[in-house]
């Protein structure tokens, strides 16, 4: 037996795609949708793996109680990856284009989160966010792969 109380069982896999409509630049919470997918799977113990299928947005686990944390994150990224920097060569989709790619590279394209007893093992103040780095609204896809028993 392992520490979750489950004896050895065959692992199952399930995959889905979450579509996230963004209103433009900023953090969009998706943790409730990931938790709902875990619960609907019937799996009790395993790992939820998420991959954002774009290069100008990212995934992030961050503070979910105080919105000033997300505003400070945006202010920090604006300083280190400013829109319209004349040093950028890539700007085919606007001033925020290359900055969005840099911000994505500095954050994360993928997350893996364990779940036990059908619940994500996030800390009390942690939330899962899709971080849109472009100004314009987009439809973003997040591949969700559950592995567990």
């Amino acid at each position: 037996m392992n520490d979750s109380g489950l004896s050895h069982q065959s692992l199952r896999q399930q995959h889905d795609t979450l579509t996230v409509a963004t209103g433009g630049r900023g953090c969009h919470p998706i943790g409730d949708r990931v938790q709902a997918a875990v619960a609907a799977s019937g799996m009790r113990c395993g790992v939820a793996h998420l991959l954002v299928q774009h290069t100008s947005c990212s995934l992030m686990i961050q503070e979910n109680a105080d919105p000033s944390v997300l505003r400070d994150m945006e202010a920090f990224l604006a300083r280190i990856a400013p829109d319209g920097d004349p040093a950028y060569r890539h700007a085919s989709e606007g001033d925020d284009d290359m900055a969005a790619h840099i911000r994505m590279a500095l954050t994360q394209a993928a997350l893996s989160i364990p779940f036990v007893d059908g619940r994500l093992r996030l800390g009390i103040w942690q939330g899962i966010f899709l971080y849109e780095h472009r100004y314009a609204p987009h439809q973003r896809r997040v591949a969700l792969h559950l592995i567990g028993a």
Side-chain angles (χ1 to χ4, degrees), residues 50-67:
L50 295 87
L51 172 70
V52 66
Q53 298 178 307
H54 306 275
T55 59
S56 56
C57 64
S58 58
L59 297 172
M60 182 169 62
I61 294 177
Q62 194 49 262
E63 160 92 44
N64 66 358
D66 183 351

Side-chain angles (χ1 to χ4, degrees), residues 16-103:
D16 199 356
T17 301
L18 305 177
T19 301
V20 181
T22 72
R25 183 172 282 170
C27 292
H28 306 274
I30 62 169
D32 288 348
R33 293 179 64 190
V34 175
Q35 178 57 57
V38 169
S41 76
M43 294 181 206
R44 304 292 300 149
C45 184
V47 174
H49 184 77
L50 295 87
L51 172 70
V52 66
Q53 298 178 307
H54 306 275
T55 59
S56 56
C57 64
S58 58
L59 297 172
M60 182 169 62
I61 294 177
Q62 194 49 262
E63 160 92 44
N64 66 358
D66 183 351
S68 67
V69 171
L70 301 176
R71 287 193 300 272
D72 289 346
M73 179 68 69
E74 178 55 37
F76 174 76
L77 287 174
R79 286 193 306 274
I80 62 173
D83 295 322
D85 188 318
Y88 301 153
R89 292 187 181 134
H90 178 73
S92 61
E93 295 179 35
D95 284 349
D96 65 343
D97 196 2
M98 189 61 217
H101 293 298
I102 293 169
R103 290 166 179 231

Side-chain angles (χ1 to χ4, degrees), residues 97-113:
D97 196 2
M98 189 61 217
H101 293 298
I102 293 169
R103 290 166 179 231
M104 189 272 198
L106 295 173
T107 51
Q108 299 178 66
L111 299 172
S112 291
I113 304 159

